[in-house]
Amino acid sequence: MEDATSVRIRRAGDERTLTIKAGAGMERTEVELALDAEQWQALSELVGERHVEKQRYQIDVDGLTAELDIFSGALDGLCLVEVEFATREQAERFAPPDWFGAEVTDDARHTNAWMAGHGRPS
């Protein structure tokens, strides 16, 4: 498995963030920092072709927020859903609706970091 720490920059409208994720699977540590436009531009120039393009939608599912990512570009047609939970117990009790599809939480090939460098998971 590759390094379980990833660094990501994201732009959503006027909001720009630097995110550092550590760990793998269901329990990960995530730290987000706000970036100004100049910082984001400088970092985005370092990324080159190692990026993903997607549109994110937030959907209420039983009082929780499901984030539906619909990818474009090299990953066109791929859709992933993520729900964050306050505790492991809450995650284990969650019964996802059928439209979520296959569970890929523990499959590192479905992380943005992996797909940015390797493309669509097989």
Side-chain angles (χ1 to χ4, degrees), residues 73-107:
L75 301 171
D76 191 42
L78 179 65
C79 299
L80 293 174
V81 181
E82 178 180 353
V83 179
E84 292 190 13
F85 302 96
T87 65
R88 177 178 272 281
E89 292 76 24
Q90 183 185 27
E92 291 170 349
R93 286 192 312 267
F94 181 72
D98 291 340
W99 65 266
F100 272 34
E103 173 63 58
V104 296
T105 298
D106 292 321
D107 186 345

Side-chain angles (χ1 to χ4, degrees), residues 1-3 49-52 74-75 108-122:
M1 184 172 137
E2 293 186 25
D3 186 355
E49 295 299 313
R50 194 176 160 97
H51 68 278
V52 297
L75 301 171
R109 297 172 305 156
H110 287 86
T111 64
N112 288 328
W114 193 92
M115 292 187 295
H118 300 91
R120 189 184 193 102
S122 56

Side-chain angles (χ1 to χ4, degrees), residues 49-75:
E49 295 299 313
R50 194 176 160 97
H51 68 278
V52 297
E53 300 171 50
K54 64 185 180 183
Q55 184 69 42
R56 173 167 283 175
Y57 301 91
Q58 295 186 334
I59 303 164
D60 180 74
V61 176
D62 297 330
L64 297 168
T65 301
E67 296 178 334
L68 170 62
D69 291 339
I70 300 178
F71 293 82
S72 55
L75 301 171

